[in-house]
Amino acid sequence: MSIEVKDIHFRYGRVVALDGVTASLGAGAVGLLGPNGAGKSTLLRILLGFLVPERGEGKVLDFDIRRDRAMIRRSVGYMPESDCFVPGMDAVTFTAYFGELSGMPRREAMKRAHEVLFYVGLEEARYRLLDTYSAGMKQRLKLAQALVHDPKVLFLDEPTSNLDPTGRAEVLELIRDIAANRSIQVLLSSHILDDIESLCETVVILKQGKVAAEGRMADLRAIQYSLYEVRVKGDAGLFRKELEAGGSRVDETEDGLIKVYMPEAGDRMDVFRAAARTGAQVRYFVKSRTSLEDLFAGVVGVE
Amino acid sequence: MAVVREKGYAHWDGRLVERRRPWWPITRTGIRLAFRKKAFRFFFAGGFLPAFFALGGLYVSERLEDFKALVQSNRALLRIDPAYFRTFLVNPPFLFLLLIVLVFAASGLVADDLKHNSLQLYFSRPLSKKDYIVGKMSVVAFFVLALAGLPWLLLVAFKLVFAGNLRFLAAYPLLPLGILGYAVFLAVFFALLFMLLSASSRNSRYVSILVFTTYLFSDILSGILTGIFRTPYMGLFSLRANIQQAGSVFFGTKPPLAVPPVWSFAVLAAIGALSLVVLDRKIRGVEVIK
């Protein structure tokens, strides 16, 4: 595994950000998914050595996150969430500058800066002052500076935030192309389910600083349950309990929609049987499509 | 739709090197960015004027017979000794000029990085906090040495050339060291001061105002306190006076304040220490709000 963390704990003052996170992230594109405040960015920052965990250990490409920070930073490209640039610079100078700071020889850094700016689609604007860049251009620029030294691992923190639909599609396309290049591992942190679903092979879902689910996307998507959406008239609480006694997980939305996560071995007729036993009338019954969103809702509890 | 290059992502086939001075690209870039500002170029060029005037004085001092009509009663002013150099280098207008040049070059050194969140980009590279601070401080040091060091050492050489002998150097053998020492002292102090002030705000304009306010207000405060308490020790509140006190040590001349210069060094060192403490707290890859 190229990234491993074991029992990582971190808190900002009294606020617990990570509470015993353990995960192994293999090759390819890995998604770090979770609602805002779940601890995704904190985990990335710990992996980069910006923050030191209170407890726990971790490795990135076999380099220890406490001892070998310089080696990790040499091998990792980091695209932060917030806008960041150096005023007064153009894109070529900026990208070459950070290439040089990564350890590239000066001329090589300049040459490579041109290449990656072409790659991310900023070739026309590469001599323009960064102060004049749009949000989408800044996002591409951040990707360019993360790629300039040809990292082995790429940490992308909310790469599509603040982008319009076109810009988002373009950045996702770039990331997809990079992830397709098997020699670069991409760790994509996002709270946008579609981004993770469309790019990643593996996902780690964080909830309140803990790992709520982890695994290959294909396995998780082939969720081991069927999802039914039901509305009943009668005692919904009793009906829910009956379903739960039968091995299903049940959630109820604020507007009374009951989501039944039924094990694959289960039979949809069990829903009607449970209704009959509890005297509830089924007024609405739909088999819903299971997706990452359902899994996310299931493990994180977001509707 | 998407603009992915047809050939896709291409690897770089070079090798990353481990630099002995990883801070050097930061310094070089900081210097280059300063020269992109028109106002900076104007004042930086102006910073060499005192050296040109001093050069003129040196020349005239060696050709007194040719400039008899010009000098007449001003012969004392053209006595070339350490005090001559001190007069130019330690006087308030020169220090103020230096301050203006540095305001254009260095106000945004840290403030811009804080404002535009670029610290996280620096520290996602194999750079330590020390590398970053040294790299930025060296930008200030470069400009101070360029204005207060190199031209004045060259003037000593010119003096020898104009005289056609080494008598001047024999008479004042420590003068080049004094100039160098003073320039290095100024470079270190101004580097720490500007880093402190630049790290105090996210807005480089506020930093510029803060620089002038600190410099001028300390002078005014010192004047008021001296008026009230009638003791030269109140001069220690003035940044300018402290620098002049220190300067007199390097040139072996009488200090302007009737206070042991060691006090001035202590005040300036305390400012430097404060700067390092503030920098240690402010410069980090990620802003942690507890």
Side-chain angles (χ1 to χ4, degrees):
Chain A
M1 292 294 169
S2 53
I3 301 172
E4 280 182 90
V5 286
K6 199 172 162 190
D7 197 29
I8 293 282
H9 289 75
F10 185 84
R11 62 177 72 214
Y12 295 103
R14 288 184 179 178
V15 180
V16 176
L18 293 177
D19 188 11
V21 170
T22 300
S24 294
L25 315 175
V30 178
L32 205 52
L33 184 64
N36 290 330
K40 306 181 299 290
S41 297
T42 304
L43 183 59
L44 286 187
R45 288 163 182 174
I46 285 175
L47 291 174
L48 273 168
F50 288 172
L51 301 172
V52 180
E54 283 170 17
R55 257 189 14 233
E57 54 197 69
K59 283 186 173 183
V60 177
L61 299 168
D62 277 336
F63 296 119
D64 188 279
I65 57 169
R66 291 175 196 269
R67 290 195 306 269
D68 309 318
R69 290 185 205 177
M71 292 309 292
I72 291 175
R73 290 170 184 183
R74 200 173 277 269
S75 316
V76 170
Y78 175 52
M79 177 181 177
E81 180 182 1
S82 52
D83 269 355
C84 39
F85 65 97
V86 180
M89 271 193 191
D90 57 50
V92 177
T93 316
F94 176 83
T95 311
Y97 178 45
F98 283 103
E100 216 182 325
L101 289 176
S102 299
M104 298 177 82
R106 195 175 167 195
R107 278 190 181 184
E108 293 278 309
M110 185 53 84
K111 199 175 141 202
R112 174 78 177 163
H114 284 277
E115 277 175 24
V116 289
L117 288 169
F118 263 85
Y119 176 67
V120 300
L122 286 177
E123 68 273 25
E124 298 289 334
R126 65 192 194 277
Y127 291 113
R128 243 172 73 183
L129 279 184
L130 302 182
D131 313 54
T132 66
Y133 269 32
S134 67
M137 292 165 90
K138 281 179 186 162
Q139 210 70 355
R140 285 160 184 255
L141 181 74
K142 281 194 288 176
L143 184 58
Q145 65 78 30
L147 286 172
V148 66
H149 59 297
D150 192 25
K152 292 186 177 69
V153 182
L154 197 55
F155 288 173
L156 307 174
D157 196 357
E158 306 282 359
T160 58
S161 62
N162 303 323
L163 290 181
D164 58 28
T166 315
R168 184 169 159 262
E170 289 174 358
V171 169
L172 285 178
E173 188 62 33
L174 281 168
I175 298 170
R176 190 171 292 117
D177 187 61
I178 296 161
N181 186 323
R182 307 297 299 186
S183 53
I184 296 185
Q185 183 185 348
V186 177
L187 181 55
L188 172 70
S189 157
S190 179
H191 66 279
I192 303 172
L193 295 165
D194 287 349
D195 290 359
I196 301 274
E197 201 164 16
S198 66
L199 291 172
C200 300
E201 295 156 37
T202 314
V203 68
V204 175
I205 301 180
L206 290 178
K207 179 193 177 186
Q208 292 172 353
K210 292 182 178 175
V211 175
E214 179 189 1
R216 277 171 46 79
M217 207 67 173
D219 298 340
L220 292 173
R221 215 187 261 124
I223 302 165
Q224 298 89 4
Y225 53 78
S226 305
L227 172 63
Y228 298 105
E229 291 178 355
V230 186
R231 284 185 197 279
V232 295
K233 187 180 178 191
D235 191 342
L238 205 61
F239 172 67
R240 285 182 55 177
K241 276 185 187 160
E242 186 69 20
L243 285 168
E244 281 166 353
S248 298
R249 212 171 65 72
V250 185
D251 282 339
E252 189 171 353
T253 62
E254 280 177 4
D255 64 346
L257 181 72
I258 297 170
K259 289 186 167 184
V260 184
Y261 298 88
M262 185 175 281
E264 271 189 325
D267 178 2
R268 65 181 167 182
M269 289 306 290
D270 291 346
V271 174
F272 294 96
R273 286 186 197 112
R277 278 197 295 276
T278 57
Q281 291 177 12
V282 176
R283 292 294 182 90
Y284 175 81
F285 181 87
V286 169
K287 185 176 189 318
S288 184
R289 180 179 164 269
T290 54
S291 66
L292 183 61
E293 194 172 349
D294 300 320
L295 174 73
F296 189 70
V299 295
V300 178
V302 177
E303 283 151 12
Chain B
M1 206 18 216
V3 194
V4 175
R5 302 296 102 201
E6 275 178 19
K7 65 175 182 179
Y9 180 77
H11 284 287
W12 173 58
D13 54 6
R15 276 190 62 192
L16 297 176
V17 292
E18 207 160 321
R19 286 200 171 80
R20 282 170 59 198
R21 288 181 295 274
W23 48 267
W24 171 240
I26 298 177
T27 305
R28 199 186 55 229
T29 306
I31 294 168
R32 280 179 59 190
L33 285 179
F35 276 109
R36 287 190 184 179
K37 296 173 193 160
K38 242 184 215 171
F40 168 79
R41 290 199 297 266
F42 175 76
F43 284 108
F44 183 67
F48 289 99
L49 280 180
F52 277 110
F53 286 127
L55 179 66
L58 281 182
Y59 183 74
V60 173
S61 73
E62 289 298 332
R63 300 281 182 276
L64 284 178
E65 286 308 310
D66 301 341
F67 294 96
K68 237 187 247 171
L70 190 69
V71 290
Q72 285 188 358
S73 59
N74 298 326
R75 276 176 186 245
L77 289 177
L78 290 172
R79 221 179 70 198
I80 309 299
D81 56 8
Y84 178 81
F85 286 85
R86 193 193 68 92
T87 308
F88 281 99
L89 275 170
V90 187
N91 69 7
F94 179 75
L95 292 176
F96 195 70
L97 186 61
L98 207 54
L99 210 66
I100 294 174
V101 171
L102 293 179
V103 159
F104 284 105
S107 291
L109 276 181
V110 182
D112 284 343
D113 288 342
L114 291 172
K115 183 178 178 182
H116 298 287
N117 302 310
S118 40
L119 285 178
Q120 53 189 332
L121 294 183
Y122 283 98
F123 294 119
S124 63
R125 262 69 199 181
L127 273 183
S128 66
K129 196 185 280 193
K130 192 183 87 187
D131 295 329
Y132 175 84
I133 293 173
V134 170
K136 295 283 182 178
M137 279 178 66
S138 302
V139 176
V140 182
F142 171 83
F143 291 120
V144 175
L145 291 173
L147 293 176
L150 189 67
W152 303 90
L153 287 172
L154 282 175
L155 285 185
V156 175
F158 274 118
K159 169 70 183 165
L160 301 178
V161 170
F162 292 152
N165 58 54
L166 294 175
R167 244 177 272 155
F168 178 72
L169 201 57
Y172 308 108
L174 292 179
L175 180 62
L177 273 182
I179 293 171
L180 189 65
Y182 177 66
V184 169
F185 157 77
L186 275 187
V188 172
F189 174 69
F190 275 125
L192 286 167
L193 179 70
F194 270 82
M195 289 294 279
L196 167 66
L197 298 177
S198 186
S200 305
S201 171
R202 289 170 165 263
N203 188 322
S204 57
R205 286 185 188 167
Y206 290 152
V207 174
S208 307
I209 294 168
L210 204 57
V211 169
F212 288 121
T213 309
T214 308
Y215 187 77
L216 297 174
F217 179 75
S218 72
D219 229 13
I220 295 166
L221 178 71
S222 150
I224 294 169
L225 292 175
T226 306
I228 295 170
F229 295 104
R230 304 272 171 204
T231 160
Y233 279 88
M234 293 300 124
L236 294 175
F237 282 95
S238 161
L239 267 183
R240 177 194 52 76
N242 283 309
I243 293 170
Q244 287 184 301
Q245 283 281 97
S248 67
V249 172
F250 287 102
F251 291 100
T253 54
K254 188 174 172 262
L257 292 177
V259 172
V262 68
W263 284 103
S264 291
F265 278 109
V267 170
L268 299 176
I271 294 171
L274 175 69
S275 168
L276 291 176
V277 171
V278 170
L279 289 173
D280 187 50
R281 294 175 67 93
K282 284 273 194 173
I283 309 292
R284 35 182 87 193
V286 58
E287 195 172 354
V288 179
I289 302 161
K290 292 191 175 179

